[in-house]
Amino acid sequence: MSNFPELETQNLLLREIVDTDAEDLLSIHGDAQHMKWFGSDPLTDIDGARSLIQTFAKWREEPASGTRWGIQLRSVPGLIGTCGLFRWNRNWRMCVVGYEISPLHQGRGYMKEALASVLAWGFGEMELNRVEAQVHPDNRASLAVLGRLGFVEEGRLREVGYWAGSHHDLMLHSLLKRDWRSGGAA
């Protein structure tokens, strides 16, 4: 896809997710234990990964969707996760952020680094005023990343999610442009 908004950080390349990423995407999204907080059932095969790649690509063409980036280490080829801005409401200048990273790369600050770049792009290029995140209350790692980026907890959305055969509460967090610290402080 042309004109994809590729982003670079100190350690990462945020790029378009392409067909050759299907195996890496399946290894992340196919791990049921790792994806228990993601908000959808794990992928079961390579065709599911390819379908997800097509879904992400279509987001950029839809009026209310957004952009999903593949996260790759600058020095090593291969996908280590994804992140993106979606459910874009242009009139209200808001959207939702979503993300995941492989278990091998958790705890190294990569997701905070990736999200800081994506948020800066969203506030600048998309002219967003508000970015929301919905996170399972038991997903401590994700809640910590949001806190380090300046997101504020707004409340509990009761049984708003459904995956793995049951309903789940999610915590609603938001970040406003006026509260954004360039690059996500600390």
Side-chain angles (χ1 to χ4, degrees), residues 5 27 94 152 159:
S27 72
M94 65 166 288
V152 173
E159 295 187 4

Side-chain angles (χ1 to χ4, degrees), residues 106-139:
Q106 285 182 310
R108 299 180 187 186
Y110 293 143
M111 189 53 69
K112 179 183 179 280
E113 185 176 332
L115 290 177
S117 184
V118 165
L119 290 166
W121 185 86
F123 287 128
E125 298 299 316
M126 294 171 71
E127 299 180 346
L128 295 172
N129 180 61
R130 175 184 171 92
V131 177
E132 294 181 351
Q134 297 178 5
V135 179
H136 194 283
D138 295 336
N139 188 345

Side-chain angles (χ1 to χ4, degrees), residues 10 20 26-28 32 42 45 54 63 67 71 84-85 89-90 109-110 124 143 168:
Q10 179 179 345
T20 54
L26 178 60
S27 72
I28 296 167
D45 57 33
Q54 290 173 356
T67 301
I71 304 170
L85 300 168
N89 184 326
R90 284 176 169 87
Y110 293 143
L143 293 170
H168 298 272

Side-chain angles (χ1 to χ4, degrees), residues 61-109:
E61 300 167 7
E62 297 173 2
S65 275
T67 301
R68 192 78 173 199
W69 285 266
I71 304 170
Q72 158 181 333
L73 296 173
R74 286 180 69 160
S75 58
V76 182
L79 203 66
I80 66 167
T82 78
C83 63
L85 300 168
F86 62 102
R87 291 192 207 145
W88 184 12
N89 184 326
R90 284 176 169 87
N91 292 332
W92 288 7
R93 296 183 180 209
M94 65 166 288
C95 69
V96 177
V97 66
Y99 48 90
E100 85 288 332
I101 194 163
S102 75
L104 294 174
H105 296 91
Q106 285 182 310
R108 299 180 187 186

Side-chain angles (χ1 to χ4, degrees), residues 158-176:
R158 298 177 332 139
E159 295 187 4
V160 70
Y162 184 83
W163 68 90
S166 62
H167 296 277
H168 298 272
D169 291 358
L170 295 175
M171 301 307 294
L172 177 62
H173 288 72
S174 71
L175 179 64
L176 301 180

Side-chain angles (χ1 to χ4, degrees), residues 39-73:
S40 63
D41 292 329
L43 295 177
T44 57
D45 57 33
I46 196 71
D47 288 336
R50 288 185 184 118
S51 178
L52 186 57
I53 290 168
Q54 290 173 356
T55 297
F56 290 156
K58 288 178 186 172
W59 279 8
R60 296 193 63 235
E61 300 167 7
E62 297 173 2
S65 275
T67 301
R68 192 78 173 199
W69 285 266
I71 304 170
Q72 158 181 333
L73 296 173

